[in-house]
Amino acid sequence: MSEDKDEWDIDPRRHSLFALTLAAVFPEWSSKKIARWLDLNPRSLQRMLGKGPDSPPIPDRVKKQAGEMADRVRDARLAEHLDDFIASMRSQGIDDDVIAAWLSSRHKRLVDRDIE
């Protein structure tokens, strides 16, 4: 994330509380990634996030999973710790592209797939 980009670049006037909760868990929005995490079809998730009268309700288990993880991410201060790590690496002269390459490598090791 660039230093001048706001971590919360979602306009809350245009999104539901559920969408904002998901944004607290997944700062880079990908319905495919989020749907896989929630064990949903990506299109079903997109319909649930719709604002139309035909939008299906969000299952309680999905709201609970997202809410609990948002709380954990907040309580662990995940964004702050990652920002501190990146700042520490920069202060040691490690280039941003090198930091990103290592983070990408660890992502692949962690979830056994490339970043989407």
Side-chain angles (χ1 to χ4, degrees), residues 5-11 14-38 40 42-50 58 62 66 115-116:
K5 183 179 177 190
D6 186 1
E7 180 177 323
W8 300 98
D9 68 350
I10 292 182
D11 181 354
R14 298 186 60 216
H15 296 280
S16 69
L17 178 58
F18 180 64
L20 293 172
T21 301
L22 291 178
V25 176
F26 289 92
E28 293 293 324
W29 195 268
S30 162
S31 57
K32 181 179 176 185
K33 183 185 302 184
I34 295 168
R36 180 176 41 248
W37 178 70
L38 292 169
L40 296 170
R43 186 64 191 122
S44 295
L45 175 62
Q46 291 168 352
R47 284 193 300 269
M48 284 177 204
L49 292 169
I58 300 163
V62 170
I115 295 174
E116 298 163 4

Side-chain angles (χ1 to χ4, degrees), residues 72-82 84:
R72 288 179 183 161
V73 167
R74 182 196 64 235
D75 293 347
R77 299 179 9 240
L78 181 59
E80 181 181 334
H81 287 295
L82 289 172
D84 289 347

